[in-house]
Amino acid sequence: MKIELFKTRRQLLLRVPTFKVRWYFRILGDNGEVIAQSEGYTQRHSAVEVLNKYFPKAKVVEVEA
């Protein structure tokens, strides 16, 4: 089992460079099939904390979205 951790950015206002960043993770099976995807986390360490708590043996890979 492999877990991909990635972030998304969305611009909040058209003319002001403020962004809303969310961290997500996907749980992938051995065959590459997506088993589950998380809800958005506001901070990276919150997502990693959840993964370490519930999936201590899973390999976490950070990917660019």
Side-chain angles (χ1 to χ4, degrees):
M1 178 170 39
K2 182 172 98 174
I3 299 175
E4 293 181 342
L5 182 66
F6 61 96
K7 71 177 176 179
T8 60
R9 276 179 27 156
R10 191 180 87 194
Q11 190 168 356
L12 295 177
L13 301 172
L14 186 60
R15 297 176 189 251
V16 181
T18 55
F19 294 94
K20 180 179 185 181
V21 176
R22 295 285 183 190
W23 289 89
Y24 297 90
F25 61 84
R26 264 187 229 122
I27 302 173
L28 302 172
D30 292 332
N31 61 355
E33 181 182 2
V34 176
I35 298 171
Q37 184 169 328
S38 72
E39 295 182 5
Y41 290 90
T42 55
Q43 297 176 348
R44 181 184 180 278
H45 73 86
S46 298
V48 172
E49 196 174 281
V50 168
L51 293 172
N52 289 335
K53 181 179 179 182
Y54 293 107
F55 304 101
K57 295 181 182 178
K59 180 180 176 185
V60 178
V61 177
E62 193 167 328
V63 295
E64 293 291 324

